[in-house]
Amino acid sequence: MHFLHRCSSSSVFCVIGEGNFCSVASLHRLLIKVPPLDRFQTSELALKLSGLLWELCLISDIYSPALSGMASRSYTSFLDLATGGLLDYPPTPRGLPRVMTVPGVVRESNGGALESPSSIHHDRKIIVANFLPINGRKDTEMGKWSFSLDDDSLLLHVKEGFTAETEVLYVGSLKVDVDVDEQEEVSQRLLEEFKCVPTFLPPDLQRKFYHGFCKQYLWPLFHYMLPMSPDHGSRFDRTLWQAYVSANKLFADKVVEVSSPEEDFVWVHDYHLLLLPTFLRRRFPRAKLGFFLHSPFPSSEIYSTLPVRDEILKAFLNSDLIGFHTFDYARHFLSCCSRMLGLDYASKRGHLGIDYYGRTVYVKILAVGIHLHRLESALNQPSASLKVKGIQKQFEGRKMILGVDDMDIFKGISLKLLAMEQLLFQHPEMRGKVVLVQIVNPARSTGKDVEEAKHETYETTRRINETYGDQGYQPVILIDRPLPLFEKTAYYAAAEVCIVNAVRDGLNLIPYKYIVCRQGSPKLDEAMNISPGSPHSSMLVVSEFIGCSPSLSGAIRVNPWNIDAVAEALNQAIKMPDIEKQLRHEKHYRYVSSHDVAYWARSFMLDLERACKDHYTKRYWGMGFGLGFRVLALSPSFRKLSVEFIVSVYKRTSRRAIFLDYDGTLVPKSAINKTPCLEVISLLNSLCDDPNNTVFIVSGRGRLPLDEWFAPCGKLGIAAEHGYFVRWNRSLNWETGLVGVDNDWKKIAEPVMRLYTETTDGSYIDAKESALVWHHQDSDPDFGSCQAKELLDHLESVLSNEPVAVTRGHQIVEVKPQGVSKGVVAEKVISTLSNDGKAPDFILCIGDDKSDEEMFESISVGPTSVMPEIFACTVGQKPSKAKYYLNDTGHVLQLLEGLASATTVKPETNTAQVRGLSVHIPVSFER
């Protein structure tokens, strides 16, 4: 039996015989043997076949015992996943075999993407979340399902931020279990009636994924709770992690089924689906992907304890835009990227961005808003007016403090109750005049911690009421049942003060809802005996550890752990003058009413469109296996430098200039011994012995080590310290690039650098003849970067009148004379040759770092009377001004070997003086 699988958007088919599964290595060998394909086509084919293997190793339509055995043996190395039964879960049913992506165009999908023609514009947004905004219930007697939209779901209302022509499609799971034989029918119905695409997770997978890894591990960790012992949080469980990976893969499959990657925008929500961007980016390198994290993002000290921290960070970075509620959360994320992945970020025209393999991943900071009109509609219901009258009568003559929280250990309910107890203790006059109404929403998860929090809440409430209550008065009223929206709005409207005392929370919309309800409505004002046109007021006491706190500048911010301070804040809120309450309320209402959920969705999507606008101006290459996958974005003209091609050009040219960097080009950066090997010396001598060649080593190193290392190369030109010292060959003296420049500036700069070295552990100064370099790669990433910025400002200030340039590079701050750079060296060499009537018709420049980019740029505009063949080549596949690349130093030596073998003049002898010894250098380079 054979299986035929078609790769997405490709004419490539993979035929697999049962029991004859090809390995990863054999696939790569197969790619190498495809002669008609160029490097770009081969890369694209490799990406598609890697995606195919990914599907085969995880969850596939062609699941069989043979495949299961193959996958379980291979995915530990191929996918970089832990061993375990990822394939124990049955595949999700293909409930959507045919989906009309544009009017009149229907595509069949065989495990690939549903595509619509790029010529037809179709504005569609795909919202992906753990749960669909759908309520479902099955009539046990009739056996029929009934579904309705969940108006409480925030994501249901994001479409109000889009244009009327925008189609919004939701992908997620249902909150109820659906039998396997009913799933296809339910899928079709939800798509047709609600534009929802359900992802059905097997019950065991759902339990391990949601109630296991999400709620028992990720949720506490993201809220700063470490599992220090089995009694306090769940420790990392590899089986639960495998379930999390599998669930994210199933969600990705559903998105792939219904998405048109060239046109659709995919917006993924929250910590349940952190890996989704990696799965989707693998399938669609140019997918338009946004991700918003609704929970806090912990500090690097907390996040670094996560055993799969790198995989999750890299998944984040496979998005085009990442959203956070507050700058604190974004700052923690950026710090983790810096400390764990070595990535820097910068503000680009007001937008935070991370350069990641040629792509810019943008970071957006904007708190989500509420659905204003739904609350206003609830306030106008007659039932809300009746309820608020009842509440006023129940608490007549008393001030009501309101708390609304989920039953969760992070909501701080017990701390709030202790603050209420302290208020009644410190202010006896408040007894009988103030009441705390605590509404407890149902817990979203189960476990020992939830039960303990519930028990503590009830015990503390009982103790307070027994101590400070009397007949007809209970200081704390606990409402532990689901409340309809109209009833909650009535409590909001009647409350004098609202307190949100969470010890850690992503955003918390309770304060926003309270403000809107206190603004009231004509019908509610009438029920509350508020005269038309009268000013409204509200008073908030909020924890400084919740996401909405920065946006509520008029609230009293508290540390929830400081019981006395919270009690005093409640006392201050109750006794505050009405005019001040009104002013604070007006300020809050202006913000909340203008920053609703529609504004949030519209703003995020506009930024996502801007982040994706350059998708089709670059070529994308897939790199890495498993959860380490990412895409490399390069210029369409960027290609690997073929040895055969450059040798053919080399042979037909007569005057050649060759510029070679040293570290990272001729010797690996990771090498401990930086001395050039005999092979390098021999190659350079072969090239230099051709009178038609001018060969230069252009390095940032000092002239002394370069002079020693390349002593056997008598005809080799050397430019040391980025060109400050230049020597055309060993028989000539060193020249300085700048004449008449003294180094008096060092007397000013060096003491400043020493000061920062003493205060920055791990930093050091590299004193060169022409320059001073302050290195901080071994210091704390955040502190080192901060100190580098301060040092840069300090040096620019004290050296403002000196003829030097102060620059900041990757983990360095450098001071060097103005007009010194590798680019200037290349220009001068080419100019000198041209002035001597030897204008080069062949220019080769190879380098690997930022300083070499100046050479790449300068050789393309150098002063020459002829149009030379120019080869600017960087080492490594990365964004560059060069048009060519070589993979590593080994490939550089292979290229130089090819050029040396093509040289017209051969050296008479292979004997060179290396450090005073006569050494025979072999000319055969078998690798």
Side-chain angles (χ1 to χ4, degrees):
M1 180 178 178
H2 290 77
F3 300 102
L4 183 64
H5 188 98
R6 187 180 189 278
C7 295
S8 304
S9 307
S10 171
S11 59
V12 180
F13 289 83
C14 184
V15 181
I16 304 174
E18 187 174 32
N20 297 305
F21 296 99
C22 55
S23 67
V24 178
S26 64
L27 269 179
H28 282 284
R29 287 196 295 271
L30 174 64
L31 289 179
I32 296 172
K33 295 177 182 178
V34 181
L37 303 182
D38 63 21
R39 183 65 184 86
F40 295 125
Q41 293 170 323
T42 304
S43 174
E44 291 174 356
L45 178 60
L47 176 61
K48 296 181 187 300
L49 289 178
S50 297
L52 172 59
L53 274 181
W54 180 274
E55 289 186 55
L56 292 177
C57 292
L58 281 177
I59 299 168
S60 174
D61 291 333
I62 59 175
Y63 180 84
S64 69
L67 174 61
S68 177
M70 181 277 290
S72 64
R73 290 189 300 272
S74 66
Y75 71 68
T76 52
S77 59
F78 180 63
L79 299 177
D80 195 25
L81 299 175
T83 58
L86 279 177
L87 296 177
D88 292 343
Y89 304 109
T92 182
R94 301 293 183 185
L96 303 170
R98 295 170 62 85
V99 176
M100 183 177 292
T101 56
V102 295
V105 179
V106 181
R107 296 293 179 96
E108 287 284 358
S109 173
N110 186 17
L114 299 173
E115 300 172 17
S116 57
S118 58
S119 59
I120 302 177
H121 178 72
H122 185 61
D123 187 13
R124 184 165 67 167
K125 310 291 191 291
I126 299 178
I127 310 298
V128 192
N130 182 38
F131 289 123
L132 290 170
I134 292 290
N135 290 321
R137 186 176 63 86
K138 186 175 183 180
D139 189 326
T140 54
E141 295 183 0
M142 302 294 293
K144 293 185 178 181
W145 283 97
S146 62
F147 298 99
S148 62
L149 292 173
D150 182 6
D151 289 330
D152 289 332
S153 173
L154 189 71
L155 297 183
L156 177 65
H157 306 294
V158 298
K159 57 187 176 184
E160 295 187 10
F162 309 145
T163 62
E165 296 76 21
T166 302
E167 178 188 1
V168 179
L169 199 66
Y170 293 92
V171 177
S173 60
L174 290 169
K175 301 167 190 172
V176 291
D177 292 331
V178 178
D179 293 338
V180 175
D181 56 355
E182 298 178 300
Q183 290 177 1
E184 185 170 346
E185 178 185 351
V186 168
S187 296
Q188 206 67 34
R189 181 179 169 188
L190 291 177
L191 177 65
E192 294 170 358
E193 296 181 14
F194 302 102
K195 294 290 184 181
C196 290
V197 180
T199 301
F200 297 107
L201 303 182
D204 182 52
L205 178 60
Q206 171 71 14
R207 178 182 58 81
K208 292 180 178 179
F209 157 66
Y210 181 68
H211 295 290
F213 194 77
C214 288
K215 284 299 182 182
Q216 297 301 318
Y217 191 77
L218 273 186
W219 175 261
L221 185 75
F222 276 32
H223 288 74
Y224 289 74
M225 180 178 174
L226 291 175
M228 303 303 293
S229 69
D231 293 334
H232 295 86
S234 299
R235 292 179 175 172
F236 183 81
D237 186 326
R238 183 66 60 173
T239 304
L240 299 183
W241 165 245
Q242 293 165 6
Y244 185 81
V245 175
S246 295
N248 273 254
K249 177 63 171 60
L250 288 174
F251 277 91
D253 287 343
K254 280 301 176 185
V255 177
V256 167
E257 284 185 30
V258 298
S259 64
S260 176
E262 292 187 0
E263 297 176 1
D264 297 343
F265 288 88
V266 180
W267 190 2
V268 184
H269 290 266
D270 222 5
Y271 66 98
H272 315 89
L273 303 175
L274 293 174
L275 302 180
L276 202 60
T278 291
F279 287 102
L280 295 178
R281 186 66 67 190
R282 172 180 287 277
R283 295 298 301 271
F284 305 133
R286 289 185 175 87
K288 303 170 182 177
L289 275 173
F291 186 95
F292 196 92
L293 184 67
H294 293 265
S295 73
F297 193 93
S299 65
S300 59
E301 291 81 3
I302 299 294
Y303 182 81
S304 62
T305 64
L306 183 61
V308 288
R309 61 191 189 186
D310 287 356
E311 291 88 334
I312 290 178
L313 277 183
K314 290 175 182 177
F316 267 107
L317 294 169
N318 275 321
S319 305
D320 294 298
L321 177 66
I322 307 169
F324 298 95
H325 287 306
T326 71
F327 175 69
D328 275 350
Y329 303 159
R331 177 169 55 86
H332 294 159
F333 170 75
L334 295 170
S335 176
C336 288
C337 290
S338 173
R339 291 173 178 273
M340 296 163 206
L341 301 181
L343 301 175
D344 294 328
Y345 69 93
S347 179
K348 303 184 178 184
R349 295 186 179 272
H351 300 275
L352 289 174
I354 304 172
D355 288 328
Y356 187 61
Y357 291 94
R359 297 168 50 242
T360 299
V361 181
Y362 287 94
V363 174
K364 183 175 181 62
I365 301 163
L366 181 64
V368 70
I370 60 173
H371 188 230
L372 200 65
H373 300 304
R374 182 164 182 263
L375 274 178
E376 291 174 343
S377 176
L379 290 171
N380 284 318
Q381 291 182 14
S383 51
S385 298
L386 289 175
K387 183 62 182 180
V388 79
K389 285 182 178 179
I391 295 172
Q392 283 185 322
K393 184 177 181 180
Q394 180 183 359
F395 301 112
E396 187 175 1
R398 297 187 177 119
K399 302 282 189 180
M400 187 176 79
I401 303 172
L402 179 66
V404 182
D405 303 279
D406 296 344
M407 180 52 72
D408 189 292
I409 58 175
F410 300 109
K411 299 302 181 182
I413 298 177
S414 59
L415 295 175
K416 185 187 306 182
L417 295 174
L418 293 176
M420 180 64 181
E421 184 177 35
Q422 189 69 6
L423 173 68
L424 297 175
F425 173 76
Q426 291 180 343
H427 300 275
E429 73 278 5
M430 289 289 187
R431 300 172 192 174
K433 297 180 180 180
V434 64
V435 175
L436 171 63
V437 177
Q438 177 62 51
I439 298 175
V440 180
N441 297 323
R444 299 188 186 185
S445 62
T446 58
K448 181 181 178 182
D449 53 352
V450 174
E451 293 301 320
E452 289 178 350
K454 188 171 184 178
H455 175 74
E456 184 180 5
T457 298
Y458 273 88
E459 283 299 308
T460 306
T461 299
R462 181 188 57 78
R463 185 183 72 244
I464 295 173
N465 287 337
E466 288 180 354
T467 304
Y468 299 103
D470 55 28
Q471 189 173 5
Y473 171 65
Q474 285 187 321
V476 178
I477 305 293
L478 201 61
I479 303 176
D480 189 5
R481 60 180 174 83
L483 296 182
L485 181 61
F486 79 87
E487 192 170 348
K488 279 187 180 178
T489 57
Y491 276 105
Y492 285 133
E496 189 77 17
V497 177
C498 179
I499 176 172
V500 179
N501 206 45
V503 297
R504 189 71 62 177
D505 211 348
L507 180 68
N508 201 309
L509 294 173
I510 299 301
Y512 293 172
K513 295 177 181 179
Y514 168 70
I515 291 165
V516 172
C517 292
R518 286 291 289 181
Q519 184 66 16
S521 68
K523 291 184 179 179
L524 198 68
D525 286 351
E526 182 181 351
M528 297 177 67
N529 296 319
I530 298 176
S531 303
S534 298
H536 294 82
S537 66
S538 62
M539 201 59 229
L540 281 165
V541 177
V542 298
S543 165
E544 60 190 48
F545 301 123
I546 64 175
C548 66
S549 176
S551 63
L552 299 171
S553 57
I556 302 176
R557 298 191 181 100
V558 295
N559 174 3
W561 301 100
N562 189 337
I563 305 300
D564 291 337
V566 177
E568 190 55 40
L570 289 174
N571 181 55
Q572 179 186 350
I574 293 171
K575 296 179 178 179
M576 185 173 290
D578 290 341
I579 184 63
E580 188 169 349
K581 291 181 182 179
Q582 293 164 10
L583 292 173
R584 293 182 185 230
H585 170 79
E586 290 172 4
K587 183 178 184 180
H588 288 160
Y589 185 74
R590 279 196 302 269
Y591 175 83
V592 173
S593 59
S594 60
H595 291 73
D596 61 354
V597 65
Y599 173 88
W600 170 71
R602 182 166 55 251
S603 177
F604 187 92
M605 200 53 65
L606 286 173
D607 279 358
L608 179 57
E609 291 173 4
R610 180 185 51 79
C612 299
K613 63 182 176 63
D614 293 332
H615 272 199
Y616 290 91
T617 63
K618 297 181 179 180
R619 184 180 293 274
Y620 284 75
W621 292 18
M623 299 174 62
F625 294 122
L627 298 177
F629 177 83
R630 65 271 189 200
V631 293
L632 176 67
L634 300 171
S635 167
S637 61
F638 191 70
R639 64 194 66 185
K640 186 175 182 179
L641 185 54
S642 165
V643 176
E644 294 78 8
F645 174 61
I646 193 172
V647 166
S648 67
V649 177
Y650 180 89
K651 287 180 177 179
R652 66 172 184 261
T653 53
S654 58
R655 282 298 310 166
R656 313 178 190 100
I658 301 174
F659 302 96
L660 303 172
D661 174 44
Y662 185 66
D663 292 277
T665 301
L666 297 180
V667 295
K669 277 191 177 296
S670 58
I672 297 177
N673 182 10
K674 297 296 185 180
T675 305
C677 64
L678 300 181
E679 179 182 356
V680 171
I681 299 295
S682 178
L683 287 173
L684 292 175
N685 276 328
S686 297
L687 292 171
C688 292
D689 284 339
D690 189 334
N692 296 323
N693 293 346
T694 299
V695 184
F696 262 83
I697 295 293
V698 186
S699 173
R701 287 188 173 272
R703 57 178 171 171
L704 295 180
L706 292 176
D707 183 46
E708 178 185 351
W709 291 342
F710 293 103
C713 304
K715 299 177 182 179
L716 178 69
I718 299 177
E721 298 193 17
H722 295 110
Y724 185 82
F725 296 105
V726 179
R727 188 180 70 187
W728 283 75
N729 56 60
R730 187 166 180 77
S731 63
L732 300 177
N733 295 324
W734 288 96
E735 302 173 0
T736 57
L738 300 174
V739 180
V741 176
D742 59 45
N743 288 330
D744 288 345
W745 58 267
K746 287 187 176 181
K747 299 176 182 178
I748 303 173
E750 194 165 8
V752 176
M753 284 190 172
R754 279 202 304 268
L755 172 64
Y756 283 81
T757 303
E758 292 170 1
T759 57
T760 311
D761 189 32
S763 65
Y764 64 92
I765 301 172
D766 180 12
K768 301 179 179 179
E769 289 185 73
S770 67
L772 291 174
V773 186
W774 186 77
H775 296 261
H776 64 91
Q777 63 262 30
D778 296 328
S779 63
D780 178 88
D782 288 339
F783 184 59
S785 179
C786 177
Q787 289 289 81
K789 183 178 182 302
E790 289 296 321
L791 176 59
L792 181 70
D793 293 341
H794 196 160
L795 289 172
E796 285 178 342
S797 174
V798 299
L799 297 173
S800 58
N801 295 323
E802 300 293 332
V804 295
V806 184
T807 58
R808 183 179 176 187
H810 182 60
Q811 297 180 331
I812 66 166
V813 175
E814 183 176 22
V815 185
K816 62 182 179 180
Q818 292 176 350
V820 174
S821 73
K822 290 185 177 183
V824 173
V825 172
E827 288 178 4
K828 287 184 177 180
V829 171
I830 295 172
S831 176
T832 302
L833 292 174
S834 299
N835 293 337
D836 292 343
K838 301 177 181 179
D841 54 1
F842 175 98
I843 302 175
L844 170 63
C845 180
I846 307 178
D848 76 302
D849 62 20
K850 186 177 179 180
S851 64
D852 299 312
E853 297 293 319
E854 299 169 340
M855 276 200 298
F856 301 152
E857 191 172 21
S858 67
I859 63 173
S860 62
V861 294
T864 178
S865 58
V866 297
M867 290 298 295
E869 298 283 354
I870 297 175
F871 297 91
C873 179
T874 187
V875 181
Q877 298 181 36
K878 57 180 180 287
S880 172
K881 294 177 182 177
K883 292 186 178 180
Y884 300 93
Y885 77 91
L886 291 170
N887 287 328
D888 51 36
T889 56
H891 288 155
V892 173
L893 297 184
Q894 287 180 2
L895 182 142
L896 295 179
E897 178 186 350
L899 297 181
S901 64
T903 191
T904 56
V905 178
K906 301 294 182 181
E908 296 181 358
T909 178
N910 292 323
T911 302
Q913 297 296 326
V914 183
R915 299 183 198 82
L917 299 176
S918 179
V919 181
H920 182 72
I921 302 176
V923 295
S924 175
F925 307 108
E926 295 184 4
R927 307 186 66 79

